[in-house]
Amino acid sequence: QKEVEQNSGPLSVPEGAIASLNCTYSDRGSQSFFWYRQYSGKSPELIMSIYSNGDKEDGRFTAQLNKASQYVSLLIRDSQPSDSATYLCASTSGSARQLTFGSGTQLTVLP
Amino acid sequence: DGGITQSPKYLFRKEGQNVTLSCEQNLNHDAMYWYRQDPGQGLRLIYYSQIVNDFQKGDIAEGYSVSREKKESFPLTVTSAQKNPTAFYLCASSIIPNTYNEQFFGPGTRLTVL
């Protein structure tokens, strides 16, 4: 069974701090990794994709991938209360490149 | 506007009743997916389709059925055989061929069994 594991949290950080979200995956054949943000009662929104080892930055978001350690992380710099949401990590697996999702980490940014 | 639409937003089902959830996309995406999300859980794949008139079972297909008669439409039927259907149902789509399979989601349908 291919798995994606995340700390469920909740994770609380003060406004302006860096929030660090972590994810591990079991399928060494996974090629693509995604971070989705899900506000309460809403559908997931894709915020970051990463395919190669190293860092990928987009605005206040940085995704980090380490395939040797099977580890993906998301850093949110200068956290804002509007970043308060559940963050879902996902990876692709199989010939159909299906997504496997973690259970999500709930982030609260305190004003 | 391009996007994915799902209807209805809320749906109530009586015991023993089949219900159909609609999913339409105008993104010209080849692949479409149905997921189920339970409170505090990640998403679990029900069915997916990469081409018209073809679809594959996901991890939790029992009690569900789908059709893909048109590229833009992928309706999901929750049958009476699904014993615990109360959940948030999400439809997604992606471009194929695409090594990376970025999937984009519709707004979801919240199904409640009365």
Side-chain angles (χ1 to χ4, degrees), chain A residues 34 36 38 43 49 51 97, chain B residues 37 99-103 106:
Chain A
F34 306 95
Y36 287 84
Q38 186 174 26
S43 63
S49 308
Y51 315 117
R97 297 183 287 278
Chain B
Q37 187 176 37
T99 301
Y100 306 116
N101 198 18
E102 290 184 336
Q103 294 184 17

Side-chain angles (χ1 to χ4, degrees), chain B residues 7 19 21 24 28 59 69-70 74 79 88-89 100 109-110:
Chain B
S7 62
V19 292
L21 283 59
E24 304 274 335
N28 200 32
D59 299 322
E69 297 177 1
K70 298 185 295 182
F74 191 40
T79 75
F88 190 34
Y89 289 86
Y100 306 116
T109 293
R110 201 166 295 277

Side-chain angles (χ1 to χ4, degrees), chain B residues 20-109:
Chain B
T20 297
L21 283 59
S22 170
C23 178
E24 304 274 335
Q25 54 96 4
N26 61 5
L27 300 169
N28 200 32
H29 285 177
D30 295 288
M32 297 185 74
Y33 309 83
W34 275 105
Y35 293 91
R36 167 181 173 144
Q37 187 176 37
D38 294 283
Q41 309 261 332
L43 280 64
R44 292 184 291 168
L45 182 64
I46 304 172
Y47 269 99
Y48 65 98
S49 169
Q50 295 184 311
I51 194 170
V52 173
N53 292 323
D54 187 51
F55 47 83
Q56 306 296 328
K57 292 182 178 180
D59 299 322
I60 56 165
E62 185 175 351
Y64 300 98
S65 65
V66 294
S67 63
R68 187 87 186 276
E69 297 177 1
K70 298 185 295 182
K71 184 176 182 179
E72 59 269 24
S73 178
F74 191 40
L76 173 74
T77 296
V78 184
T79 75
S80 57
Q82 171 49 239
K83 297 307 178 188
N84 186 21
T86 295
F88 190 34
Y89 289 86
L90 291 155
C91 179
S93 68
S94 67
I95 296 171
I96 293 288
N98 183 322
T99 301
Y100 306 116
N101 198 18
E102 290 184 336
Q103 294 184 17
F104 300 92
F105 286 86
T109 293

Side-chain angles (χ1 to χ4, degrees), chain A residues 25 29-34 49-52 65 67 72 90-93 97-100, chain B residues 98-102:
Chain A
Y25 60 94
S30 294
Q31 295 182 311
S32 309
F33 305 87
F34 306 95
S49 308
I50 187 165
Y51 315 117
S52 305
L65 174 60
K67 289 187 177 181
V72 190
S91 68
T92 56
S93 60
R97 297 183 287 278
Q98 298 173 30
L99 288 189
T100 300
Chain B
N98 183 322
T99 301
Y100 306 116
N101 198 18
E102 290 184 336

